[in-house]
Amino acid sequence: ELNAQDVRLRPMAGLYLPSRISIQNGSLYARQKIGVTIGARLTLTFTQRFDLVTAVTYLPGYATFRGAGKRIDVGTGSHLLTATTAGRYWLLPLDRRFSWEVHTGLGVGFGGLPAYEDLFVSSTVTGILGTAVRYRIGRMVSLHLRIQDRLYQVRFGGGDPGSSKPPLRISLGLGLPFVESAP
């Protein structure tokens, strides 16, 4: 039993919709992935401003749409199993109209070939430091800006060993209470 702490275990299900838009060789390049994830999130809250979050998610597969100029390609991707843990601290409290979070975390992703027995052949370990700003509009809608920097990334199995540092990641979002799984 933990005194003065709140422990929550929540199932998660959602859409996997990462988008990437860039300019390559003078052409606009866009990539959209579409899939469904399932999993669970454990949140251990110590105070109103500090908590630890651990999550496990599984993505059975996804479709990818890529386009550059007038050309569009369609493909599929194999499954992905991820486990993450993060500490979050709110400089400005979460329950206010404007909140500001600082977080750091560690994640492990396992992805395999189409054959399910190869799930653990290729894996990536990533460490992240970031911040997120949230602005609530009433009780129904919130706008998010998240900036994250990967401190390190190591790949095991085939592929690039992860020697180059990935770029800074900036994401914008719109939150609706019936779509969000947790703050």
Side-chain angles (χ1 to χ4, degrees):
E1 181 177 321
L2 298 172
N3 296 325
Q5 283 83 28
D6 181 32
V7 179
R8 292 185 199 158
L9 179 62
R10 292 184 178 174
M12 297 184 320
L15 292 176
Y16 177 73
L17 297 170
S19 303
R20 180 178 294 168
I21 298 173
S22 61
I23 296 178
Q24 297 178 3
N25 300 325
S27 295
L28 183 65
Y29 178 82
R31 182 180 75 183
Q32 178 68 57
K33 293 182 180 180
I34 300 172
V36 175
T37 61
I38 57 172
R41 176 179 293 161
L42 176 68
T43 305
L44 179 59
T45 304
F46 293 96
T47 70
Q48 290 182 342
R49 289 193 175 192
F50 177 69
D51 65 17
L52 295 175
V53 179
T54 300
V56 175
T57 58
Y58 179 66
L59 173 69
Y62 55 88
T64 305
F65 299 92
R66 292 181 210 110
K70 295 181 180 180
R71 183 177 175 185
I72 295 177
D73 295 323
V74 179
T76 60
S78 62
H79 50 186
L80 180 65
L81 175 67
T82 60
T84 60
T85 188
R88 303 184 300 180
Y89 181 78
W90 280 269
L91 298 172
L92 298 175
L94 179 64
D95 58 355
R96 293 195 180 161
R97 180 176 295 269
F98 181 74
S99 63
W100 182 12
E101 163 195 335
V102 175
H103 60 268
T104 186
L106 175 67
V108 180
F110 301 97
L113 300 171
Y116 286 97
E117 61 268 8
D118 292 334
L119 180 63
F120 298 103
V121 169
S122 172
S123 63
T124 303
V125 177
T126 304
I128 294 175
L129 176 65
T131 189
V133 175
R134 176 178 298 168
Y135 182 75
R136 292 181 188 236
I137 302 169
R139 294 185 178 256
M140 294 300 294
V141 178
S142 62
L143 303 173
H144 312 268
L145 171 64
R146 179 174 283 222
I147 301 171
Q148 296 184 147
D149 191 19
R150 291 185 184 172
L151 302 175
Y152 60 89
Q153 178 173 337
V154 180
R155 293 182 188 206
F156 301 97
D160 177 21
S163 58
S164 65
K165 187 175 185 318
L168 185 70
R169 186 177 198 181
I170 300 173
S171 60
L172 300 170
L174 175 68
L176 301 170
F178 54 86
V179 178
E180 290 182 338
S181 58

